[in-house]
């Protein structure tokens, strides 16, 4: 596992450099979710594959940009990743990131054993979940230096509500409105990595990406985004659910499977569970 952690550090440095100097225009291709790729998506995916290919403990990889896994060897870990989450924000010069989930045996929520993400903004940062907790690193003087451990309190004051609001279910809108009425502050950039990172750094809050009337299963992908962040948030002392169940209890039927998802400190997520369980099925 240490080899993978060191590999992710190398990936971060390479992608950060590519973001600063690479082309940001759109490519002629689309990823497995049907989103048009930008050139940095493709380059970032190539960077990640190139580094992970050389790590003896990595058996295979799958990413948002690939339709099928790439097998390197017969034994080792499985790595599912989003090479450049929020890439559409690059031209607006907003913070984006990379997400990594390390699995063993399969790609269900129960199979993920470690996860982390890189943050490309004013600073290059790395967050990694371990058996002991969630460690936060910052790239300084040519190396990643430990900043500290990220922990969520019982309740926060930050709210990141994703999804098209016109397509929200009525009970979901009422839930979000009630949180704003309690004094929660809107903090939503459209990038999953920076928005959940802010909740982790600030010690609490809620990131919500629900199912909607046009996309009942939500938009965010289980393998590359949801399961990794579910593990990270739980290791930080928070909760991660789909509205009625713990996210890490979910399976998958395809590599691009999506799910509604809610991440945050315990008090907010328990409110989500109460509202959603009272409104199931989601109508």
């Amino acid at each position: 596992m240490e080899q993978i952690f060191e590999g992710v550090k190398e990936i971060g440095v390479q992608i950060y450099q590519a973001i600063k100097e690479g082309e940001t225009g759109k490519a002629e291709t689309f990823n497995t979710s049907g989103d048009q790729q930008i050139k940095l998506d493709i380059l970032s995916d190539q960077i990640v594959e190139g580094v992970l290919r050389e790590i003896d403990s990595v058996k295979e990889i799958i990413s948002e940009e690939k339709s099928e896994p790439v097998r390197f060897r017969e034994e080792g870990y499985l790595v599912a990743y989003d090479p450049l989450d929020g890439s559409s924000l690059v031209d607006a010069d907003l913070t984006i990131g990379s997400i990594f989930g390390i699995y063993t045996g399969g790609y269900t929520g129960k199979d993920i054993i470690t996860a982390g993400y890189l943050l490309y903004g004013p600073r290059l940062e790395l967050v990694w979940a371990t058996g002991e907790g969630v460690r936060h690193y910052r790239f300084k003087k040519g190396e990643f230096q430990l900043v500290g451990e990220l922990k969520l309190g019982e309740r926060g004051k930050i709210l990141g509500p994703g999804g098209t609001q016109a397509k929200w279910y009525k009970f979901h809108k009422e839930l979000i409105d009630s949180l704003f009425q309690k004094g929660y502050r809107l903090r939503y950039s459209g990038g999953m990595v920076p928005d959940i990172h802010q909740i982790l750094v600030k010690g609490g809050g809620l990131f919500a990406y629900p199912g909607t009337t046009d996309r009942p299963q939500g938009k965010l992908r289980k393998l590359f985004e949801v399961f990794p962040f579910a593990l990270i948030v739980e290791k930080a002392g928070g909760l991660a659910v789909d509205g009625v169940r713990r996210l890490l209890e979910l399976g998958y039927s395809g590599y691009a499977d999506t799910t509604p998802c809610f991440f945050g400190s315990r008090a907010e997520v328990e409110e989500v569970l109460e509202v959603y369980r009272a409104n199931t099925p989601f109508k």
Side-chain angles (χ1 to χ4, degrees):
M1 191 62 67
E2 186 64 25
Q3 286 180 310
I4 297 176
F5 180 53
E6 293 300 319
V8 169
K9 291 179 181 178
E10 181 181 342
I11 287 165
V13 173
Q14 290 191 36
I15 292 181
Y16 197 44
Q17 193 66 29
I19 291 169
K20 290 188 288 185
E21 299 181 359
E23 292 187 54
T24 61
K26 292 183 178 180
E28 299 299 320
T29 53
F30 295 81
N31 64 21
T32 55
S33 299
D35 300 323
Q36 187 171 11
Q37 296 170 303
I38 66 170
K39 293 176 182 179
L40 275 174
D41 285 323
I42 299 169
L43 177 57
S44 298
D45 192 51
Q46 292 170 345
I47 289 171
V48 178
E49 180 174 345
V51 172
L52 295 182
R53 179 183 294 275
E54 301 303 316
I55 298 176
D56 292 340
S57 59
V58 176
K59 175 181 178 179
E60 75 175 32
I61 61 172
I62 179 70
S63 87
E64 178 191 353
E65 310 302 329
K66 302 180 187 300
S67 58
E68 296 290 338
V70 177
R71 177 70 62 87
F72 298 144
R73 48 192 62 85
E74 293 306 310
E75 300 292 335
Y77 297 108
L78 314 176
V79 182
Y81 63 93
D82 187 342
L84 203 60
D85 184 74
S87 57
S88 63
L89 302 175
V90 170
D91 282 340
D93 207 19
L94 296 177
T95 298
I96 57 177
S98 301
I99 310 169
F100 301 87
I102 317 303
Y103 299 79
T104 180
Y107 291 107
T108 72
K110 294 179 180 179
D111 293 317
I112 191 166
I113 57 173
T114 303
Y117 60 88
L118 289 154
L119 200 72
Y120 313 112
R123 297 179 294 222
L124 172 58
E125 302 195 349
L126 167 63
V127 172
W128 198 255
T130 71
E132 293 76 38
V134 180
R135 292 180 176 169
H136 180 200
Y137 300 84
R138 185 168 296 146
F139 192 72
K140 297 171 63 177
K141 299 179 180 179
E143 63 179 1
F144 282 93
Q145 299 180 16
L146 182 64
V147 176
E149 188 171 339
L150 297 177
K151 294 181 180 180
L152 289 169
E154 181 66 19
R155 180 182 291 277
K157 283 295 183 182
I158 294 174
L159 181 56
T164 303
Q165 294 189 28
K167 303 294 184 180
W168 283 355
Y169 293 105
K170 183 174 182 289
F171 69 88
H172 178 80
K173 185 179 187 307
E174 291 172 349
L175 168 65
I176 298 301
D177 287 347
S178 73
L179 291 171
F180 281 129
Q181 289 166 8
K182 293 175 184 177
Y184 280 73
R185 298 183 295 274
L186 175 64
R187 295 291 185 270
Y188 186 76
S189 71
M192 187 182 190
V193 175
D195 289 344
I196 297 184
H197 181 71
Q198 182 168 198
I199 290 171
L200 287 165
V201 169
K202 299 295 185 181
L206 177 68
F207 177 90
Y209 210 108
T212 53
T213 56
D214 60 333
R215 301 185 77 157
Q217 294 305 310
K219 179 183 178 182
L220 299 180
R221 292 157 291 260
K222 293 179 179 179
L223 276 63
F224 317 122
E225 298 163 322
V226 174
F227 292 158
F229 266 114
L231 183 67
I232 292 165
V233 168
E234 286 194 1
K235 290 286 187 181
L239 297 176
V241 303
D242 69 351
V244 295
R245 296 163 295 181
R246 180 172 172 250
L247 286 168
L248 292 181
E249 294 176 353
L250 302 181
Y252 76 102
S253 58
Y255 298 119
D257 270 9
T258 61
T259 180
C261 50
F262 303 84
F263 307 88
S265 37
R266 288 181 172 272
E268 290 88 351
V269 178
E270 285 172 355
E271 287 189 44
V272 170
L273 289 170
E274 181 179 356
V275 169
Y276 267 74
R277 286 171 176 170
N279 287 276
T280 303
F282 305 157
K283 293 182 180 178

